[in-house]
Amino acid sequence: DVKVTQSSRYLVKRTGEKVFLECVQDMDHENMFWYRQDPGLGLRLIYFSYDVKMKEKGDIPEGYSVSREKKERFSLILESASTNQTSMYLCASSLFAVSTDTQYFGPGTRLTVL
Amino acid sequence: KNEVEQSPQNLTAQEGEFITINCSYSVGISALHWLQQHPGGGIVSLFMLSSGKKKHGRLIATINIQEKHSSLHITASHPRDSAVYICAVGGGSNYKLTFGKGTLLTVNP
């Protein structure tokens, strides 16, 4: 079974802090994703990575950056957290970078920025 | 950009009832996914459809490509089926998915 883990289930940070969200997958998947989920909105893609050190911006990359130094680990970075980044953050991975492939999701990190 | 609409937004049922959740989209697709999210939990993939019908236990998913519509059915619903059900669509060889807002299902004992 694919397992995707995220470093924290709940996180509270102050405005202006630098925040790191970590995601690790154990199935040797090339492709990893960061989404945010807000009430009344569908999941929205922040960033996608298709290989080590390779990334693509998603639909809402503003205010975020990512790092993929090892195949199994994909980090989301909030350079200077703001209250409008309070959200649920979900990481996912997939074997192939096509819409027909299954994405495997982590448990999510609920981030609150005060 | 594909528009994905799910209905209903909220659904309450009694244990044992037959449940139907609907998903409509605006642009032709290669794949439609049904996902399940339990309260406070991560998301689990239930089905991927490109045509026809799939069945897994008490869950059945159908898709009508011409009408741009899919349904997720749950037979003999149970309180453990209570969750948010999310429809997501993707087109071509692109990895990107467009997600619906989800349907919150509550099954009472």
Side-chain angles (χ1 to χ4, degrees):
Chain A
D1 269 359
V2 177
K3 191 160 184 186
V4 180
T5 56
Q6 294 183 228
S7 50
S8 306
R9 293 299 302 271
Y10 300 92
L11 208 51
V12 179
K13 295 292 181 181
R14 298 261 176 218
T15 301
E17 278 193 77
K18 190 168 186 175
V19 181
F20 293 87
L21 302 182
E22 304 283 336
C23 175
V24 177
Q25 51 92 7
D26 67 357
M27 277 300 290
D28 203 35
H29 283 174
E30 301 284 345
N31 308 290
M32 297 186 75
F33 307 80
W34 274 108
Y35 295 97
R36 67 178 279 175
Q37 184 180 33
D38 298 291
L41 299 175
L43 273 76
R44 293 178 291 167
L45 180 66
I46 305 172
Y47 267 98
F48 165 66
S49 171
Y50 52 93
D51 203 348
V52 173
K53 298 190 189 294
M54 307 305 288
K55 62 188 179 187
E56 279 186 17
K57 291 180 180 179
D59 299 318
I60 51 163
E62 298 78 19
Y64 303 95
S65 61
V66 290
S67 172
R68 187 135 179 234
E69 297 296 320
K70 291 186 177 182
K71 192 175 186 179
E72 67 271 17
R73 189 180 297 270
F74 191 31
S75 302
L76 181 69
I77 303 155
L78 287 67
E79 295 290 341
S80 177
S82 63
T83 54
N84 62 13
Q85 292 178 310
T86 291
S87 187
M88 169 72 94
Y89 290 88
L90 289 149
C91 174
S93 73
S94 70
L95 184 58
F96 302 110
V98 290
S99 62
T100 50
D101 198 24
T102 297
Q103 291 186 22
Y104 296 86
F105 287 84
T109 295
R110 188 168 292 282
L111 172 68
T112 302
V113 182
L114 302 175
Chain B
K1 188 177 186 300
N2 221 329
E3 302 290 332
V4 180
E5 296 288 336
Q6 287 187 235
S7 63
Q9 288 184 21
N10 294 280
L11 181 56
T12 300
Q14 289 300 122
E15 184 172 356
E17 284 185 6
F18 181 83
I19 304 290
T20 296
I21 299 170
N22 298 297
C23 176
S24 297
Y25 51 93
S26 58
V27 177
I29 60 170
S30 301
L32 184 143
H33 297 261
W34 281 105
L35 311 168
Q36 180 191 57
Q37 184 176 31
H38 281 285
I43 293 172
V44 174
S45 178
L46 298 174
F47 296 104
M48 192 287 292
L49 295 160
S50 52
S51 65
K53 177 179 175 177
K54 286 189 177 178
K55 184 176 190 289
H56 181 71
R58 295 180 295 105
L59 302 179
I60 304 165
T62 63
I63 188 167
N64 185 317
I65 298 294
Q66 287 73 32
E67 294 188 3
K68 298 186 177 63
H69 180 268
S70 175
S71 294
L72 176 68
H73 305 286
I74 305 175
T75 61
S77 59
H78 190 275
R80 65 175 175 267
D81 297 325
S82 298
V84 175
Y85 291 84
I86 300 168
C87 169
V89 302
S93 58
N94 195 299
Y95 61 84
K96 283 190 178 180
L97 297 177
T98 301
F99 294 81
K101 296 176 183 178
T103 294
L104 174 61
L105 171 65
T106 303
V107 182
N108 294 316

